[in-house]
Amino acid sequence: MKYTHRMVSLIALAGLAVPALAQPKKDFPDFKDVAKDFEKVISTRDDNSFYTVWVREKDGQMLAELPRGWSGQKHFFAMTVAAGEEFAGLQGADFVVQWKRFDKRLALIQPNFATRTSGDTESQDAVDLIYTDRVILDVPIECMGPNGQPVIDLDELLVGRITTFFGGSAGGANSRLATVSKAKSFPENTEIAVTLPVQGGLFKTFHYSLSLLKGTPGYKPRVADSRVGFFTTDYRDLGELDSQKLHVRYINRWNLEKRDKNLKMSPPKEPIVYYIDHTVPVRYRRFVREGLEYWNKAFENVGILNAIEVRQQDKLTGAYMDIDPEDRRYNFVRWVTNETGLAIGPSRANPYTGEILDADVVVSDGWVRAWEFEFSDIMPKIMMEGFSPETLTWLDKNPQWDPRYRMASTDQQELMLAERARRGVLPYGGHAIATAIDTELSAKLNGGVLDRGSTPSGFCQAAVGKAFDMSIARMTEELGLINDDKEGEVEKIDGMPEDFLGPLLADLIAHEVGHTLGLRHNFKASALYSLDEINSDAVKGKKAMAASVMDYLPTNFNVDDTAIQGDYAMIDIGPYDMWAIEYGYTSDEKSLEELLKRSNEPELQFATDEDTSGPDPLARRYDFTADPLDFARSQIKHAELMREKLLSDFVKDGEPWTRARRGYQITLNMQARASSLMASWVGGAFVNRDKKGDNGGRTPITVVDPDIQRAALKFVMEHTFRDDAYAITPDLLQHMTVEKWWDDNSALQDSAWPIHDRVAAVQASTLTQLMNPTTIRRVYDNEFFTPSDQDALTVPELFSTVSGEVWSELDQSPRSKVSDRNPMISSLRRNLQRELTDRLIDLTGPNGMPGSAGKPVSNLAMVELSNIHDRVAAMLDKHGKNLDSYTSAHLHETKTRIEQVKNAEYVYNQSGGGSLPYFFFGDQPQQQAQPVEVKIIEVPVPYVPATSPEGEAK
């Protein structure tokens, strides 16, 4: 029976019992019940918020209502660790995401933008079928909000899932102790910061900047070109059947346009505004501003006035203190205080177009301090600069060649080997650039969260070089070697002349700001002028001394009292910077191709990070001048001058003698850097990025003149292989001690400087630079690049030249007064000779030179060993009775070891359809030889006194 409304009323009035009407079941509880005790976050006068946020302060709980239209929007999540880390303020990960509702849950989805199609409908359907979006996480809908949109537990999203957004940095986060340290919401962005303890109990603050990704109307992406260095945003266009067009690459750049296109010079519609953080010390602020404003010159070149605007945040006056550096709407130069030299200029870009959305420069003051570099900290980096993935992979299997292993103290080497075995093989030998590329590629293929669509922009070590140079500069200043031509008292900042430190800081800021404008490193820029030109009136104070601030430039120290001291650092951006900005930001798109054809001009040559492990010796970090050999010689002279004053002037009365040790190691670092720089010229070839039809018609590959290679080789050997290169005296060694402190890891260091281990490590690492697989292969290949009727450096010449220098004592007669206290061959040289012998033996073995050059190199190594053997034997035959005990034992051991190698035979096992190499000693192979790795073992040679009538070991 149906009850009408009137019947129900009458029955009720009559007191009759009737069935209760069924109330419709609610999908969600009422908002007022869910939001009880929460307070709404209001950040704008009209209460217009992107995400509407409510916070319950007592327990750090948060609610958020999604914005209207959320289902059709793309949101940009940008993360920053704002406090609690040494590099707090550095941009973290970012995600482009969309919300999608599944009944009572919302999924946060990362759309596919790495693979697209410009093809027809069928192509679009095929791409959509295979390359799908990815769910990052999902959360329940708590209720519907006042605006009728889903409400989520924002605390559960941002705190409960914090490792999804911050990775290992938030490992072990204790969400029970989380507090909301910041909550703001504006029309197109919402800013949330939470503070909580992580693993180890340390409090960290994690900042989320959530914004609407809509792109600038009318923004037109610009296609990247390999002749000019920009960070890129790339994707695959499977609608293109031409493989040359499969990969689409857009440069990362700001949307910067003239306000009035009809004017030759016009202010921008919207300038790029940088805020100098209030934490930047007052004494440095003007130099930071200078570095920022250098770039306005480049934008004026394309008709835009005051493209960059600089504003100073100040706590004293309150200026701009209401804005947050982590807010994606603002670009900051941030300052952190630590003992690590850091400067970095990352940016975030729209993954669909390459339009830069925001950028932050982070600089630490650690590089300003006079660093105390430990031998094992910086020396391996210097000696391995430019090593290729091929060599790094080979070093993993041959640690005896590895500078990282050889530079380590003997008590740490076993630990290094154990850790290396535990971690296993690394992609590309662990090369930083290659690993970054591999990580990004892996993320794209597997839908990883690292898929940002842009080339990595966070790898910059410019401040590391500045820190190294500051240690040199402070030592040079203390010794009175800075050639200051100013009269009167010199203004100083933090103990250094203002006109020295200021330009270095401005240069560093300009470098990092260049990154935020989209520019990559240019490591060929240093080769614009000669050393004499840089230190001349024609350049000093008038021109940038290099083609770009995007290089890692060493500080220009001129210790020649009779010459002009040029600028210590860049005082402006260079011609390459002007050209690159013109390509990226000109509105005249018709001029782009003609602009790029100028790439052959000397001031526009370009090479970036991935080129530093290639064959081009000019594509190097921390090199300098058009003739790096001149710079290398000046570095050696500088180091020698400082060594002369170590004991007399560098260590002052009342100071510990450990300063002598520190000072000497600084000079040794300079020596190693000069040597490492020149070693890269051996087997070198200049690489040009020109395209066919460009001006000049240069070939892409041009082998370095063999005489230049020989001069570089000669320099390296003279300044690393010879004893006098180290200027070590008993008096100096007696003063090179160390203080014992628990707080700086010096407690376990030996008080005496381990001279033999240190020099042997430098010399062994130098041999690795000259005879690693990549260098040898390049020398071998360059022979084929060069017509046979033209001169070329060959592998036999390389081996014989190195061997001739290392074993030069074999060409001399023993001095008349040799003794065990005055040996014919010094202890340092004996170590070096033994090292070279080991290297040549390694090259003859099964783990020697990889690739098709392996066998010829093995044969040549054996020939060189035979030559050494014969020369040693001749020395023993002729002068054996007149040698000191050390030299005699050393030569006998060398002779015996080489004979053992020469007696090893090569056996071929035809089983399994192939041939396997075996090494064994003696006249006959063992029966039924099995495929095992047999190592050549050093057999102890009986000691034979120099006066023995036999003259040699039995």
Side-chain angles (χ1 to χ4, degrees):
M1 175 180 180
K2 289 186 177 181
Y3 294 92
T4 66
H5 179 74
R6 180 175 178 77
M7 290 171 65
V8 170
S9 298
L10 290 173
I11 293 170
L13 288 172
L16 300 175
V18 296
L21 289 176
Q23 296 294 324
K25 185 179 180 181
K26 293 182 179 180
D27 287 339
F28 303 101
D30 291 338
F31 172 76
K32 61 182 178 58
D33 296 328
V34 174
K36 184 179 180 181
D37 298 330
F38 283 77
E39 291 188 12
K40 185 177 181 179
V41 173
I42 300 176
S43 305
T44 58
R45 290 182 179 179
D46 57 3
D47 190 22
N48 182 15
S49 299
F50 182 41
Y51 283 74
T52 307
V53 178
W54 294 265
V55 174
R56 191 165 64 197
E57 291 288 349
K58 67 177 183 179
D59 56 2
Q61 299 297 300
M62 294 178 286
L63 297 172
E65 183 180 11
L66 270 59
R68 289 187 176 93
W70 58 268
S71 62
Q73 296 172 348
K74 290 183 175 66
H75 295 178
F76 193 81
F77 281 32
M79 280 64 68
T80 305
V81 178
E85 284 188 353
E86 193 173 26
F87 303 130
L90 186 61
Q91 287 185 357
D94 57 69
F95 300 88
V96 174
V97 295
Q98 292 174 296
W99 287 106
K100 185 174 181 179
R101 182 172 176 177
F102 292 85
D103 191 20
K104 295 182 180 181
R105 299 191 71 82
L106 286 168
L108 193 63
I109 294 175
Q110 185 180 47
N112 160 56
F113 44 75
T115 302
R116 314 175 203 173
T117 179
S118 59
D120 50 27
T121 303
E122 292 77 11
S123 176
Q124 184 64 63
D125 291 343
V127 167
D128 291 344
L129 182 66
I130 298 174
Y131 303 99
T132 58
D133 301 338
R134 184 179 68 88
V135 175
I136 297 176
L137 53 79
D138 65 280
V139 293
I141 299 174
E142 300 295 327
C143 62
M144 303 306 291
N147 296 321
Q149 309 305 316
V151 173
I152 61 172
D153 184 341
L154 192 60
D155 178 73
E156 169 60 22
L157 175 68
L158 303 184
V159 179
R161 308 291 187 90
I162 194 168
T163 54
T164 300
F165 299 103
F166 285 93
S169 183
N174 186 347
S175 60
R176 298 184 301 276
L177 301 181
T179 58
V180 180
S181 49
K182 193 171 294 180
K184 301 179 182 180
S185 199
F186 306 97
E188 292 188 352
N189 67 298
T190 296
E191 306 298 316
I192 303 292
V194 295
T195 300
L196 71 165
V198 296
Q199 188 169 4
L202 181 70
F203 278 99
K204 288 187 180 182
T205 299
F206 300 92
H207 188 108
Y208 295 86
S209 184
L210 317 180
S211 58
L212 180 65
L213 181 69
K214 56 182 182 179
T216 303
Y219 176 83
K220 186 177 180 181
R222 181 153 296 174
V223 175
D225 190 280
S226 62
R227 289 167 286 187
V228 59
F230 275 84
F231 293 112
T232 61
T233 292
D234 60 270
Y235 66 91
R236 289 186 303 167
D237 182 359
L238 294 185
E240 282 286 353
L241 297 180
D242 183 351
S243 61
Q244 297 291 326
K245 300 178 180 179
L246 176 64
H247 291 277
V248 178
R249 304 177 183 95
Y250 297 140
I251 66 170
N252 291 357
R253 61 176 183 144
W254 294 89
N255 180 53
L256 193 65
E257 300 177 288
K258 289 182 177 181
R259 178 174 296 180
D260 187 341
K261 294 183 178 180
N262 296 318
L263 292 176
K264 182 178 180 181
M265 302 295 291
S266 168
K269 288 182 180 179
E270 292 288 340
I272 307 171
V273 180
Y274 291 89
Y275 293 84
I276 301 176
D277 193 84
H278 70 94
T279 57
V280 176
V282 174
R283 62 189 181 278
Y284 292 144
R285 289 181 181 179
R286 70 183 179 95
F287 302 115
V288 172
R289 180 179 288 271
E290 283 179 14
L292 282 158
E293 293 179 341
Y294 281 169
W295 288 99
N296 273 331
K297 178 180 178 181
F299 289 107
E300 289 172 7
N301 188 50
V302 295
I304 303 177
L305 287 169
N306 300 317
I308 291 177
E309 185 177 318
V310 183
R311 299 173 185 172
Q312 178 66 60
Q313 187 187 58
D314 189 76
K315 195 171 184 178
L316 184 65
T317 64
Y320 305 112
M321 290 300 295
D322 58 330
I323 63 177
D324 302 314
E326 299 85 8
D327 188 329
R328 191 187 64 75
R329 296 174 298 168
Y330 305 109
N331 313 304
F332 265 78
V333 177
R334 310 191 66 177
W335 195 266
V336 295
T337 298
N338 57 37
E339 292 188 80
T340 304
L342 168 79
I344 193 167
S347 60
R348 297 182 173 109
N350 187 325
Y352 294 95
T353 64
E355 179 186 1
I356 295 177
L357 303 174
D358 81 315
D360 293 297
V361 172
V362 178
V363 182
S364 94
D365 62 359
W367 70 272
V368 180
R369 295 183 176 89
W371 274 19
E372 296 194 19
F373 292 110
E374 292 297 336
F375 182 86
S376 59
D377 290 338
I378 192 170
M379 285 292 280
K381 297 174 184 176
I382 292 174
M383 302 303 285
M384 295 185 68
E385 175 62 33
F387 276 13
S388 70
E390 172 189 29
T391 289
L392 291 175
T393 302
W394 189 82
L395 291 178
D396 247 9
K397 296 188 295 184
N398 295 271
Q400 71 274 19
W401 288 61
D402 194 329
R404 292 165 294 190
Y405 175 80
R406 299 304 296 264
M407 297 286 181
S409 59
T410 53
D411 56 5
Q412 292 297 304
Q413 290 178 340
E414 288 300 317
L415 177 62
M416 290 181 65
L417 292 180
E419 291 177 344
R420 183 171 297 190
R422 184 165 52 251
R423 66 159 164 77
V425 178
L426 294 174
Y428 307 103
H431 192 285
I433 300 301
T435 302
I437 294 171
D438 184 63
T439 302
E440 291 282 332
L441 178 62
S442 175
K444 289 182 179 182
L445 295 178
N446 297 292
V449 295
L450 291 175
D451 185 7
R452 299 175 60 182
S454 298
T455 48
S457 61
F459 184 76
C460 185
Q461 298 185 69
V464 175
K466 286 284 191 291
F468 179 34
D469 281 356
M470 280 302 299
S471 67
I472 298 172
R474 289 191 180 276
M475 186 174 175
T476 303
E477 168 71 6
E478 288 187 42
L479 295 176
L481 296 175
I482 285 185
N483 187 2
D484 196 337
D485 55 4
K486 288 185 172 56
E487 297 181 0
E489 188 174 347
V490 177
E491 187 73 25
K492 290 193 174 185
I493 299 178
D494 296 332
M496 293 300 293
E498 181 185 271
D499 61 354
F500 173 84
L501 184 57
L504 257 68
L505 176 56
D507 174 31
L508 183 61
I509 295 296
H511 177 100
E512 302 306 336
V513 171
H515 283 320
T516 69
L517 299 175
L519 298 185
R520 297 194 63 191
H521 291 133
N522 181 4
F523 292 124
K524 272 196 170 183
S526 57
L528 182 58
Y529 296 119
S530 69
L531 200 59
D532 287 341
E533 289 174 320
I534 291 169
N535 293 300
S536 71
D537 288 327
V539 173
K540 180 182 180 180
K542 301 180 180 68
K543 300 178 182 179
M545 61 185 183
S548 173
V549 294
M550 303 312 297
D551 204 338
Y552 291 172
L553 295 174
T555 303
N556 176 39
F557 295 107
N558 188 355
V559 293
D560 186 348
D561 291 335
T562 64
I564 293 173
Q565 170 62 60
D567 296 315
Y568 293 108
M570 293 282 281
I571 59 169
D572 201 349
I573 60 172
Y576 168 85
D577 303 318
M578 300 282 288
W579 178 67
I581 290 296
E582 185 176 1
Y583 177 77
Y585 290 90
T586 182
S587 57
D588 182 11
E589 295 187 0
K590 295 180 180 179
S591 67
L592 295 180
E593 189 52 45
E594 288 303 313
L595 193 68
L596 288 168
K597 287 184 178 180
R598 294 177 51 207
S599 65
N600 73 309
E601 297 175 15
E603 62 267 27
L604 304 184
Q605 54 188 329
F606 165 64
T608 193
D609 292 86
E610 51 267 30
D611 296 302
T612 59
S613 58
D616 194 331
L618 292 177
R620 285 290 299 248
R621 304 178 181 94
Y622 313 117
D623 67 343
F624 199 35
T625 81
D627 184 357
L629 186 56
D630 276 352
F631 170 66
R633 288 172 177 148
S634 74
Q635 287 281 285
I636 295 297
K637 180 180 179 181
H638 191 171
E640 289 173 347
L641 288 173
M642 291 198 293
R643 284 175 181 171
E644 291 174 2
K645 299 186 176 186
L646 275 177
L647 301 183
S648 60
D649 295 20
F650 187 57
V651 184
K652 309 292 192 300
D653 288 347
E655 292 181 335
W657 282 108
T658 187
R659 279 175 58 83
R661 181 170 179 157
R662 172 180 169 269
Y664 182 81
Q665 290 192 160
I666 289 175
T667 67
L668 189 59
N669 292 339
M670 295 172 67
Q671 178 181 343
R673 184 166 71 171
S675 171
S676 173
L677 170 66
M678 297 316 301
S680 64
W681 287 75
V682 177
F686 301 120
V687 179
N688 302 311
R689 290 175 173 251
D690 304 17
K691 296 185 179 181
K692 187 174 182 179
D694 284 359
N695 302 335
R698 297 184 302 183
T699 58
I701 307 293
T702 303
V703 175
V704 173
D705 184 292
D707 286 338
I708 295 178
Q709 295 185 60
R710 293 180 183 114
L713 177 59
K714 183 173 184 287
F715 176 90
V716 172
M717 295 188 302
E718 286 179 350
H719 295 287
T720 56
F721 292 165
R722 299 180 181 180
D723 289 1
D724 58 7
Y726 298 92
I728 296 177
T729 65
D731 189 28
L732 178 60
L733 287 174
Q734 290 166 12
H735 289 88
M736 286 171 58
T737 187
V738 62
E739 288 188 301
K740 302 285 188 175
W741 297 107
W742 284 85
D743 57 1
D744 65 357
N745 298 321
S746 63
L748 295 177
Q749 291 185 27
D750 198 315
S751 297
W753 196 67
I755 176 174
H756 286 96
D757 287 346
R758 293 291 184 255
V759 173
V762 174
Q763 293 178 332
S765 299
T766 302
L767 284 174
T768 299
Q769 290 174 325
L770 297 175
M771 298 175 63
N772 66 74
T774 302
T775 297
I776 295 175
R777 175 182 54 76
R778 286 173 181 162
V779 172
Y780 191 56
D781 287 348
N782 285 350
E783 296 178 39
F784 212 80
F785 275 67
T786 307
S788 58
D789 60 345
Q790 296 180 16
D791 185 23
L793 178 69
T794 65
V795 176
E797 181 183 351
L798 172 64
F799 282 8
S800 63
T801 302
V802 172
S803 180
E805 172 65 34
V806 172
W807 285 96
S808 60
E809 288 88 345
L810 298 179
D811 299 325
Q812 307 166 9
S813 297
R815 300 184 303 276
S816 58
K817 295 183 179 180
V818 297
S819 67
D820 292 349
R821 288 291 296 119
N822 186 25
M824 176 187 174
I825 303 178
S826 73
S827 56
L828 299 181
R829 292 281 292 179
R830 293 196 301 271
N831 287 341
L832 173 62
Q833 291 166 1
R834 188 178 301 108
E835 190 70 42
L836 175 63
T837 303
D838 290 344
R839 300 300 175 93
L840 292 170
I841 291 173
D842 286 347
L843 291 175
T844 66
N847 290 326
M849 176 82 179
S852 57
K855 186 55 180 174
V857 168
S858 173
N859 293 339
L860 291 169
M862 185 62 77
V863 169
E864 195 55 50
L865 284 170
S866 296
N867 291 337
I868 294 171
H869 173 273
D870 293 346
R871 294 171 68 200
V872 167
M875 171 64 73
L876 290 171
D877 287 343
K878 188 174 182 180
H879 302 290
K881 296 181 180 180
N882 300 320
L883 298 175
D884 58 275
S885 302
Y886 284 116
T887 301
S888 177
H890 167 63
L891 294 180
H892 277 99
E893 185 230 13
T894 301
K895 178 174 176 289
T896 302
R897 290 191 63 216
I898 294 176
E899 287 171 352
Q900 292 171 344
V901 176
K902 291 174 68 177
N903 289 335
E905 297 187 27
Y906 200 68
V907 177
Y908 291 90
N909 185 335
Q910 298 297 331
S911 64
S915 59
L916 297 174
Y918 300 96
F919 284 89
F920 60 91
F921 298 106
D923 297 328
Q924 298 294 327
Q926 295 182 6
Q927 294 182 356
Q928 204 63 31
Q930 298 298 315
V932 294
E933 181 182 1
V934 180
K935 297 181 179 178
I936 298 171
I937 302 173
E938 294 188 26
V939 179
V941 180
Y943 169 68
V944 180
T947 56
S948 168
E950 290 83 5
E952 65 178 44
K954 294 183 180 179

